[in-house]
């Protein structure tokens, strides 16, 4: 198997952290264009018309995209050190918070990033070769939505070490990747969210997380 990554991009990082935390030995390949690091390589886009990372290429050439689907597949193959739930209730709660983190955290940062960064002019939506103009109002709304997500997460983390119960899970990975990417774009955690700050620092210090930087 090969896992296609794009250093600094938050969605493939969900998969590379997952792999590092579980200790799975998989070849990780950079799908970026060496001539233009803000784009995926023409060869990758030709081979995988999904045009987004992460992609997991299987040994028979078949492939799986979308970070949660890749991680679910790997979790099934390598059930030790579960990151997606040990029983029905834990699995559902992790999936619930992963979806919240993706839809409310990652999408908010992505709305901001794709509608402001100069290298993404005309590339407002990931995964298509079509020209999609940037919309400054979407960047503003993304920044606002991220504040809502911080507040929601702060409440959830009020009496918990991690997002679901007291175990690190895929939900923490997705929320961390959203916030880490936001921080790199000067969208820092709001001062009135101390639980998020405490949790973020703990996740950031995990060896599996720094190994997949
Ligand atoms: N929902 C997808 C999102 C994948 C995605 O948007 N990936 C971005 C990087 S974070 C990408 O491949 N962008 C390609 C581009 O900007 O051309 C997932 O879970 O993997």
């Amino acid at each position: 198997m090969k896992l296609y990554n794009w250093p600094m991009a938050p969605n493939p990082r969900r998969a590379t952290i997952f792999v590092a935390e579980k200790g799975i030995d998989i070849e990780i390949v950079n799908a970026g264009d060496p001539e233009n690091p803000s784009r995926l390589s023409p060869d990758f886009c030709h081979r995988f018309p999904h045009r987004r990372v992460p992609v997991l290429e299987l040994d028979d050439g078949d492939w799986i995209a979308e970070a949660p689907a890749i991680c679910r597949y790997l979790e099934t193959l390598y059930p030790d050190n579960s990151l997606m739930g040990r029983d029905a209730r834990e699995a559902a709660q992790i999936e619930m918070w992963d979806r919240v983190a993706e839809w409310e955290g990652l999408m908010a940062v992505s709305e901001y990033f794709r509608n402001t960064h100069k290298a993404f002019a005309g590339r407002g939506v990931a995964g298509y070769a079509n020209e999609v103009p940037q919309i400054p109002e979407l960047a503003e709304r993304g920044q606002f939505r991220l504040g809502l997500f911080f507040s929601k997460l702060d409440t959830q983390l009020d009496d918990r070490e991690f997002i679901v119960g007291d175990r690190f899970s895929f939900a923490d990975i997705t929320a961390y990747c959203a916030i880490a990417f936001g921080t790199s774009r000067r969208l820092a955690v709001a001062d009135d969210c101390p639980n998020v700050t405490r949790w973020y620092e703990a996740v950031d210090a995990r060896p599996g997380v720094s190994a997949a930087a």
Side-chain angles (χ1 to χ4, degrees):
M1 286 191 286
K2 282 184 193 165
L3 179 61
Y4 289 87
N5 184 28
W6 195 19
M8 297 308 294
N11 280 293
R13 200 169 177 211
R14 291 161 81 190
T16 56
I17 291 177
F18 185 88
V19 162
E21 282 281 338
K22 279 181 81 82
I24 305 171
D25 187 18
I26 289 188
E27 184 184 355
I28 297 184
V29 180
N30 185 354
D33 183 350
E35 309 287 312
N36 184 352
S38 71
R39 288 183 181 270
L40 295 173
S41 77
D43 179 52
F44 175 86
C45 293
H46 177 70
R47 292 184 58 206
F48 305 106
H50 190 64
R51 303 180 78 101
R52 289 198 295 251
V53 277
V55 163
L56 183 69
E57 185 180 17
L58 308 182
D59 292 338
D60 65 3
D62 204 0
W63 54 272
I64 301 167
E66 299 292 306
I70 290 170
C71 295
R72 168 63 59 205
Y73 178 74
L74 294 174
E75 176 95 340
T76 307
L77 288 186
Y78 304 95
D80 288 353
N81 184 20
S82 160
L83 293 174
M84 296 186 113
R86 292 160 299 176
D87 56 36
R89 177 162 146 174
E90 195 177 69
Q93 287 177 334
I94 291 169
E95 184 172 345
M96 170 177 87
W97 278 99
D98 172 60
R99 291 178 67 91
V100 170
E102 177 167 344
W103 278 84
E104 301 180 27
L106 260 179
M107 290 298 290
V109 175
S110 169
E111 252 177 12
Y112 175 82
F113 174 75
R114 297 200 78 97
N115 289 289
T116 49
H117 199 293
K118 283 197 188 87
F120 287 76
R123 300 165 64 203
V125 174
Y128 297 91
N130 312 56
E131 163 104 14
V132 180
Q134 291 180 321
I135 301 174
E137 290 82 0
L138 277 179
E140 234 173 82
R141 193 183 69 174
Q143 196 163 2
F144 178 73
R145 280 181 76 193
L146 189 63
L148 299 178
F149 174 63
F150 285 146
S151 300
K152 182 181 275 190
L153 192 56
D154 202 67
T155 304
Q156 175 68 5
L157 288 167
D158 198 25
D159 54 356
R160 286 174 187 83
E161 188 179 351
F162 295 110
I163 296 178
V164 177
D166 58 359
R167 287 183 87 235
F168 181 75
S169 75
F170 187 56
D172 295 291
I173 293 177
T174 299
Y176 170 82
C177 289
I179 296 174
F181 190 63
T183 302
S184 77
R185 308 311 313 169
R186 292 192 287 277
L187 297 175
V189 176
D191 289 341
D192 59 352
C193 294
N195 298 317
V196 177
T197 303
R198 178 256 306 152
W199 160 90
Y200 180 81
E201 285 170 359
V203 174
D204 195 53
R206 293 177 72 86
V209 171
S210 35

